Amino acid sequence: MKYIYTFEEGNKNMRRLLGGKGANLAQMTNLGFPVPSGFTISTEACNAFYKNHNQLNDDNLDQIKEALDQLSQKVGKRFDSPSAPLLVSVRSGAAISMPGMMDTILNIGLNDQTVAVLAKITANERFAYDSYRRLLAMFGNVVEGISEATFDMVIENLKQQNHYQSDLDLTTDDLKQIVSEFKKIYMNELHREFPQDPTEQLLAAINSVFESWNNHRAKIYRRENNIPSFLGTAVNVQMMVFGNAGKDSGTGVAFTRDPATGEKQLFGEYLLNAQGEDVVAGIRTPQPISTLKETMPHLYEQFVAIAAKLEFYYRDMQDLEFTIENGKLYMLQARDGKRTPTAAVKIAVDMVDEGLVSRQEALMRIKPESVQAILYPEFDEQELAKNDIVASGLPASPGAATGRVYFTAEAAKAAHDEKHQAVILVRQDTSPEDIEGMVVSEAIVTSRGGMTSHAAVVARGMGTPATVGVNHLQVDYQHKTASFSGHQLHEGDWLSVDGTQGNIYIGQIKTTDMAVNENLSTLLGWAKQESRLGVYANADTPADFSQALKFDADGIGLARTEHMFFKPERLLEMRRLIIAENAEARKLPLKRLLDMQQGDFYGLYKLSEGRSVTIRLLDPPLHEFLPHDEKEIHEVAAQLDIEPAYLAQRVDALKELNPMLGHRGDRLAVTFPDIYQMQVRAIIGAALQLLDENVIIEPHIMIPLTGSKAEMSWVRELVVKQIEQLFDERNARLQYTVGTMMEMPRACLTADKVAEVSDFFSFGTNDLTQLTFGFSRDDVGSFMPEYIKQGILPADPFQTVDVEGVGQLMKMAVEKGRFTKPRLPIGVCGEIGGDPKSIEFFEQLDVSYVSCSPFRVPVARLAAAQAHLRNKRAVSQSVSVNPVR
Ligand code: ADP
Ligand code: MG
Ligand code: MG
């Protein structure tokens, strides 16, 4: 069995066998770059090690000795040589990088003799002993398990005694003393000496790297990241080069492009006269890499050329480690660099322009969720570092904001309108009545509720940051205070909310601006070309729709008409309507609402420019529009000029036990047909208005909550009759469609029949999930976290579609619906419409489009393109396999 590969033998495609670090060291060697010689002990050797009861087998041991001999010959240095001692590093490296899991040991080969030789040949005694004490500490820690603190303490004490500021003040004598103290630690802790034999040091280091593959931390990390344990780690043995050999030596790290902005320019730092991770460890302030241009121009040019070639080979931005030894450059590591979402998008787009990657590949490289971070303001990082998190909740709506707290919608609105304050609404929970206060708020915080609570859904729809379900938050409405685990807040105090992370800070924190990102629009344009699924927005107002259009939404998949009723003057008419005793009394408010709604729809249609707009008729139960506490009942009664007792009686009559299962959706149409009739007149009226302006609109009218063909057919007749009547009145006609939401399990089960009377389907996944599980989505906050923690649910089904259950119903509905009408348009307009994992499933389900809040449109678009590209790839693979059989 071949266990060992020299760097000359490997290449970048051998990650699985050589680990990422080894494969890339080999690739750089073969590209002719200056890499210190070495070899990689493969991941197969790691597995053999475990099979052999955690010991290197004889075959492997022989191969290590042979590789070491070869290396010695090649570089002209040997372990224990009295004139040219060989020192090596032992570096772990798995196929998938596991940050911080396994450690590297530098300077192996140093002992009491070779340290003196090194001092002599470099004419730098300080450097030699500095290297030795590093070996003693690293070996002691990694191999022998002595705590780092034990070694650090020796240095700290010495520094204190001598009033030193930094490690640089340590003299050669100090370092010698440290070395002897470190050796004593071995005797005290282990009752044996530090191994002086370099081969023994090397083998022990290799052993401990292999062992570390199965240490507790590594196992946990693998479990959390789904990395199979049979992969194993590789070990690299590499000749040391010394960045700490003097003033024309140094060590550094660099990215081939700026990892924060993506700008195409070398970005990095280095430290002169330093070793290994000194740059990252922050012992001194490093210099920007650009200064190398002046101090070592040749070397800088060489480095720039290497960086460019590496990008060309890897077709991605690289993160590089290098060392300069006496004016000579060595490359020590290359890997794909981590980057911010902004940089990721810019780099992907630039690399397409540069011909390095295809558009499809660029699209596949960006995590859909990550683009959201580009669209929202964040807290300034430096400012954030100065503040402590006082509480956390669910990250319900991303973005960051600062403002003064208010505990009621009215107070928030008053402070915003009258005092022009930036306000943050802090509540136990929110309801539709709070909408006015929510609209003016910079951020929303609630102590109750989950990711689909009212506060969360509305905040996401508006693009307002929100943190909900903050368990440690107590709101005292009476005294106008809130307390978070020990902190008290009064009305008007400053609070900062990070809805991306779900964190809360007390005080003011500066935010960064939300930039319109040209690169992202380019990428989203490509995504549109590469996807099959349409991406629509849930938008209720022209403002929402404009926002969605900025992100190039294909249209509106869901306009919720009830949101238009919450403006004060409309709410009043709505209330007049609800409390009316007979059809006659309903006439006037209906007429007023009709005019207002027609104006709303006209506004949406006007913006649509040929894009499809689907409007849903009234959905929530009527009591949501009525006041609830006594004070409000009195106020509203006065406004409506009726007796408070009568209003209270109406409120009582409309009260429901399970409003989510209650008198809502098209059930309202059956008992109050005139509301739907009014809405339909407003919709068609608006379209006819545009027809007069020579703009052709095809209205799509959506009926919520339908459970059967009979029900749909009843409502459809009501709607169609009204439309035809209007056509006759106006003596004009246009095309329209009437479709249904699919949100009742029964409707899914009988979708073939429902399709007979529906022009389209649109899944309302919130209600469908609620009814399939029997979970009330307003109450899940109290047990959902535990269900996920206990593994009873893999994820919150209101955020990611439950493929097994709800998905099964959807699949059935699609198949049955298309059996009746092969070209039936089918959308998904619940919250899940913007979730990448769910979109992957919807692509396979062959639905026509998804609809999500305007701010999710970019995420959904990218996810849709990726799902389609993946699907196409899977299909083409199965096609190319079939003919062989
Ligand atoms: P990590 O995976 O934590 O980055 P590395 O194996 O890359 O660990 O090593 C840690 C540090 O030691 C890096 O800065 C690396 O450049 C340096 N280093 C590793 N091997 C050598 C060597 N042979 N000569 C000089 N420096 C080395
Ligand atoms: Mg490294
Ligand atoms: Mg619904």
Side-chain angles (χ1 to χ4, degrees):
M1 180 81 169
K2 182 174 167 65
Y3 289 123
I4 293 186
Y5 297 79
T6 63
F7 290 168
E8 284 77 10
E9 288 176 308
N11 65 53
K12 69 172 183 198
N13 301 322
M14 294 165 74
R15 288 184 80 89
R16 182 73 187 266
L17 189 64
L18 305 179
K21 204 179 278 171
N24 290 343
L25 283 167
Q27 185 65 54
M28 286 199 288
T29 303
N30 287 311
L31 288 170
F33 299 151
V35 177
S37 298
F39 54 87
T40 305
I41 310 172
S42 74
T43 54
E44 282 171 355
C46 181
N47 288 327
F49 171 89
Y50 279 107
K51 268 206 203 104
N52 195 38
H53 315 289
N54 295 15
Q55 276 182 344
L56 295 164
N57 63 36
D58 291 343
D59 190 9
N60 200 348
L61 281 170
D62 288 344
Q63 291 186 34
I64 292 173
K65 295 220 172 79
E66 202 186 303
L68 202 61
D69 276 344
Q70 253 185 43
L71 178 64
S72 303
Q73 264 177 20
K74 186 151 182 249
V75 302
K77 295 179 182 177
R78 292 200 82 82
F79 275 170
D80 269 340
S81 159
S83 55
L86 171 68
L87 304 190
V88 297
S89 62
V90 168
R91 316 172 65 186
S92 65
I96 298 165
S97 100
M98 296 174 50
M101 287 297 119
M102 283 155 292
D103 291 278
T104 290
I105 303 179
L106 304 179
N107 308 330
I108 282 183
L110 278 178
N111 57 27
D112 294 351
Q113 273 86 51
T114 50
V115 72
V117 180
L118 188 67
K120 209 172 93 199
I121 56 176
T122 58
N124 190 341
E125 203 178 20
R126 188 183 184 284
F127 150 67
Y129 282 89
D130 185 52
S131 304
Y132 196 19
R133 63 100 184 169
R134 287 175 196 259
L135 170 63
L136 285 163
M138 280 189 266
F139 189 93
N141 177 241
V142 177
V143 178
E144 307 287 12
I146 303 170
S147 82
E148 256 175 275
T150 316
F151 295 106
D152 287 347
M153 215 143 65
V154 173
I155 301 182
E156 274 315 304
N157 285 343
L158 210 127
K159 273 163 66 180
Q160 262 180 19
Q161 275 166 25
N162 295 301
H163 309 288
Y164 292 158
Q165 303 288 335
S166 87
D167 291 6
L168 280 184
D169 297 332
L170 296 167
T171 63
T172 308
D173 282 342
D174 292 334
L175 290 163
K176 284 184 176 169
Q177 193 192 328
I178 290 171
V179 164
S180 87
E181 298 274 339
F182 278 11
K183 286 190 194 158
K184 278 188 213 144
I185 294 178
Y186 278 76
M187 283 310 286
N188 286 343
E189 301 250 337
L190 311 166
H191 310 294
R192 55 183 148 82
E193 306 263 1
F194 166 73
Q196 291 285 314
D197 175 8
T199 309
E200 193 185 333
Q201 293 171 6
L202 175 67
L203 293 178
I206 295 169
N207 264 292
S208 72
V209 170
F210 281 157
E211 257 166 16
S212 75
W213 175 255
N214 269 341
N215 71 25
H216 187 64
R217 267 166 71 206
K219 278 189 190 164
I220 301 266
Y221 184 89
R222 283 201 294 273
R223 195 185 320 139
E224 279 175 7
N225 293 280
N226 283 323
I227 300 173
S229 68
F230 62 77
L231 284 181
T233 181
V235 182
N236 302 288
V237 178
Q238 187 176 28
M239 182 185 76
M240 285 300 300
V241 288
F242 298 101
N244 53 346
K247 269 194 244 142
D248 56 352
S249 301
T251 177
V253 293
F255 291 87
T256 54
R257 304 189 185 212
D258 187 326
T261 64
E263 214 61 53
K264 193 182 177 185
Q265 66 188 21
L266 209 52
F267 180 92
E269 293 175 332
Y270 68 103
L271 265 181
L272 290 180
N273 205 357
Q275 185 174 52
E277 290 183 314
D278 290 356
V279 176
V280 202
I283 56 160
R284 274 180 278 156
T285 309
Q287 310 235 40
I289 194 138
S290 53
T291 61
L292 263 186
K293 209 179 195 164
E294 276 96 60
T295 52
M296 304 186 188
H298 277 313
L299 197 139
Y300 181 77
E301 257 166 49
Q302 187 190 1
F303 191 76
V304 169
I306 289 174
K309 279 195 190 155
L310 280 172
E311 271 205 347
F312 183 77
Y313 277 97
Y314 287 103
R315 295 177 303 120
D316 202 356
M317 185 258 255
Q318 295 296 298
D319 170 356
L320 306 172
E321 288 176 6
F322 64 95
T323 281
I324 304 163
E325 183 184 76
N326 299 322
K328 187 167 166 10
L329 175 70
Y330 291 96
M331 299 303 296
L332 286 170
Q333 192 168 335
R335 66 188 142 188
D336 293 348
K338 296 232 178 342
R339 63 207 79 179
T340 63
T342 310
V345 170
K346 176 160 173 56
I347 291 170
V349 171
D350 284 353
M351 286 196 165
V352 172
D353 287 347
E354 293 162 27
L356 284 178
V357 300
S358 67
R359 286 179 178 190
Q360 287 87 342
E361 204 166 332
L363 284 169
M364 293 308 282
R365 278 192 185 173
I366 311 294
K367 261 200 177 146
E369 287 290 351
S370 76
V371 305
Q372 190 129 15
I374 307 177
L375 307 173
Y376 293 100
E378 287 177 355
F379 286 127
D380 184 278
E381 259 180 54
Q382 285 175 359
E383 292 244 339
L384 193 63
K386 294 183 215 147
N387 286 274
D388 287 331
I389 298 169
V390 294
S392 299
L394 299 170
S397 177
T402 276
R404 293 173 185 274
V405 298
Y406 288 91
F407 305 109
T408 63
E410 297 89 78
K413 189 164 161 40
H416 172 270
D417 292 355
E418 288 151 30
K419 299 191 209 157
H420 306 290
Q421 287 181 351
V423 302
I424 291 185
L425 186 62
V426 175
R427 296 191 53 79
Q428 264 168 15
D429 48 24
T430 63
S431 68
E433 295 164 46
D434 299 321
I435 202 84
E436 295 264 288
M438 297 172 83
V439 169
V440 300
S441 295
E442 307 295 320
I444 295 160
V445 177
T446 67
S447 58
R448 290 196 204 134
M451 295 293 279
T452 55
S453 62
H454 180 264
V457 174
V458 173
R460 277 198 293 276
M462 299 189 304
T464 302
T467 296
V468 303
V470 182
N471 283 324
H472 296 291
L473 164 66
Q474 255 152 14
V475 186
D476 181 344
Y477 292 119
Q478 204 190 345
H479 297 99
K480 298 186 186 168
T481 60
S483 56
F484 298 96
S485 38
H487 300 266
Q488 263 240 330
L489 274 183
H490 297 271
E491 194 176 80
D493 286 352
W494 286 97
L495 191 73
S496 295
V497 179
D498 180 345
T500 314
Q501 305 293 335
N503 295 332
I504 312 277
Y505 304 82
I506 285 184
Q508 252 180 301
I509 306 179
K510 208 169 84 191
T511 51
T512 56
D513 278 348
M514 168 161 78
V516 177
N517 189 323
E518 226 175 279
N519 295 307
L520 183 59
S521 5
T522 305
L523 194 80
L524 292 175
W526 298 340
K528 194 166 184 165
Q529 287 166 11
E530 298 293 341
S531 21
R532 186 191 61 74
L533 279 171
V535 177
Y536 291 66
N538 298 345
D540 310 328
T541 62
D544 286 353
F545 196 16
S546 315
Q547 184 59 257
L549 290 174
K550 275 191 207 147
F551 298 138
D552 202 16
D554 294 319
I556 295 183
L558 173 66
R560 287 162 293 202
T561 48
E562 57 270 21
H563 287 187
M564 300 164 175
F565 291 134
F566 283 108
K567 286 191 190 146
E569 72 276 12
R570 299 176 179 206
L571 191 55
L572 192 68
E573 295 307 328
M574 194 61 189
R575 285 169 169 170
R576 237 191 264 286
L577 178 72
I578 296 170
I579 59 156
E581 267 170 289
N582 52 43
E584 196 51 36
R586 287 211 283 269
K587 264 194 183 145
L588 189 63
L590 272 171
K591 167 77 183 76
R592 288 190 184 136
L593 285 170
L594 170 69
D595 291 343
M596 295 186 227
Q597 286 244 282
Q598 184 160 328
D600 295 333
F601 300 140
Y602 179 86
L604 291 180
Y605 283 147
K606 188 94 186 160
L607 280 174
S608 65
E609 294 194 340
R611 290 180 183 82
S612 143
V613 174
T614 300
I615 298 170
R616 180 179 71 183
L617 302 183
L618 191 67
D619 185 46
L622 296 181
H623 75 93
E624 283 196 7
F625 298 96
L626 293 178
H628 288 285
D629 63 44
E630 203 162 329
K631 187 167 152 255
E632 270 186 294
I633 288 180
H634 272 85
E635 280 169 17
V636 175
Q639 283 172 349
L640 295 173
D641 198 19
I642 53 171
E643 285 299 312
Y646 173 71
L647 181 57
Q649 192 194 328
R650 280 302 287 166
V651 170
D652 218 39
L654 287 167
K655 208 184 243 160
E656 297 185 57
L657 285 180
N658 287 306
M660 277 295 138
L661 301 176
H663 194 176
R664 51 176 286 231
D666 62 353
R667 294 162 200 171
L668 289 170
V670 177
T671 49
F672 299 97
D674 41 12
I675 297 182
Y676 272 25
Q677 283 168 337
M678 175 276 285
Q679 291 198 300
V680 166
R681 283 184 89 89
I683 293 170
I684 301 296
L688 289 174
Q689 222 179 318
L690 278 149
L691 192 62
D692 288 342
E693 299 170 22
N694 289 321
V695 180
I696 296 175
I697 300 285
E698 180 179 339
H700 304 299
I701 297 169
M702 184 150 75
I703 312 299
L705 230 65
T706 318
S708 68
K709 179 185 166 186
E711 187 178 2
M712 179 62 193
S713 142
W714 192 96
V715 181
R716 185 186 176 96
E717 213 161 291
L718 176 82
V719 166
V720 169
K721 226 163 124 186
Q722 195 58 225
I723 294 175
E724 293 300 325
Q725 195 179 321
L726 193 62
F727 284 165
D728 290 346
E729 284 169 26
R730 300 281 171 87
N731 200 15
R733 318 189 74 77
L734 36 76
Q735 301 270 347
Y736 65 91
T737 64
V738 183
T740 176
M741 289 199 84
M742 292 301 269
E743 48 189 351
M744 297 286 116
R746 196 189 182 288
C748 295
L749 293 167
T750 58
D752 47 344
K753 301 204 176 66
V754 177
E756 287 169 17
V757 288
S758 306
D759 301 322
F760 61 87
F761 282 176
S762 182
F763 288 104
T765 46
N766 281 349
D767 274 313
L768 187 57
T769 303
Q770 163 167 277
L771 292 165
T772 305
F773 275 96
F775 289 163
S776 150
R777 72 179 125 125
D778 289 335
D779 302 320
V780 288
S782 52
F783 56 87
M784 183 72 75
E786 204 53 31
Y787 266 62
I788 291 168
K789 208 168 116 199
Q790 301 291 342
I792 301 171
L793 284 172
D796 182 343
F798 291 102
Q799 286 180 62
T800 298
V801 65
D802 157 48
V803 171
E804 193 179 56
V806 176
Q808 191 65 29
L809 277 172
M810 294 176 78
K811 186 160 181 272
M812 183 183 274
V814 170
E815 280 165 8
K816 283 176 170 269
R818 292 248 170 84
F819 178 79
T820 303
K821 286 186 180 160
R823 302 165 77 89
L824 186 72
I826 300 178
V828 177
C829 68
E831 282 285 307
I832 286 174
D835 170 62
K837 268 200 213 128
S838 308
I839 287 172
E840 183 90 40
F841 174 66
F842 302 148
E843 167 77 20
Q844 285 160 21
L845 208 56
D846 212 19
V847 303
S848 329
Y849 66 89
V850 294
S851 188
C852 54
S853 56
F855 287 92
R856 291 296 289 183
V857 167
V859 175
R861 178 79 75 195
L862 194 52
Q866 291 186 355
H868 189 53
L869 288 169
R870 244 179 249 131
N871 224 8
K872 269 206 317 212
R873 207 175 287 169
V875 169
S876 75
Q877 264 164 14
S878 69
V879 167
S880 64
V881 166
N882 280 339
V884 181
R885 269 198 284 153

